[in-house]
Amino acid sequence: MRTIQSSGRKNISLTPLLFLCLLLLVNGCASKKSTEPQDAAAEIEALQKQEQENKKDEQDEQDEQDEQEAEDGQQEESEKQQKQEKKKRKKRPATQRPYVIEGETYYPVSSAEGYEETGLASWYGDPFHGRKTANGETYDMYGVTA
């Protein structure tokens, strides 16, 4: 065992310091070996896998952006159609506007020309003549009203 003498200091043994340095060096190398791939082929495979994952993530992000743009475009188109329908509704008389019953939309025909229907009808007669009907029209017992 060798010792070093320094001026005004105690003797220091080199053996424990060398042992400590050697221990740190060995532990440092061992930890590096455990985290590194075993060979170049494994390292290449890991890089390829990472590249595939990155491409998949980029594709997923692109798909999400495309989907969002499509939804935005559909929403804008829907808003345009609603505005156009609203303008059309304002121009049409109330009896010609589309209406919805139990989720089904009905569109009145613009003209009754050529339309024929057979069915039952009732006649209210004199007590109701000249009075208002449920829709606000005046009942005329001599006219054709429904």
Side-chain angles (χ1 to χ4, degrees), residues 54-105:
N54 289 343
K55 284 182 180 179
K56 185 179 183 293
D57 290 343
E58 288 175 5
Q59 184 63 41
D60 290 345
E61 288 177 12
Q62 184 64 40
D63 291 346
E64 287 177 12
Q65 287 177 352
D66 292 346
E67 188 175 302
Q68 184 63 39
E69 288 173 2
E71 287 176 5
D72 292 344
Q74 288 175 350
Q75 187 176 9
E76 289 175 10
E77 186 65 30
S78 175
E79 289 173 0
K80 286 179 184 178
Q81 286 177 350
Q82 287 175 354
K83 287 179 182 179
Q84 288 174 351
E85 287 177 12
K86 194 172 185 179
K87 285 180 183 179
K88 286 179 184 178
R89 271 188 259 135
K90 287 181 181 180
K91 294 178 184 177
R92 293 184 200 154
T95 57
Q96 292 298 309
R97 293 183 190 156
Y99 55 95
V100 178
I101 298 175
E102 295 182 2
E104 182 86 25
T105 304

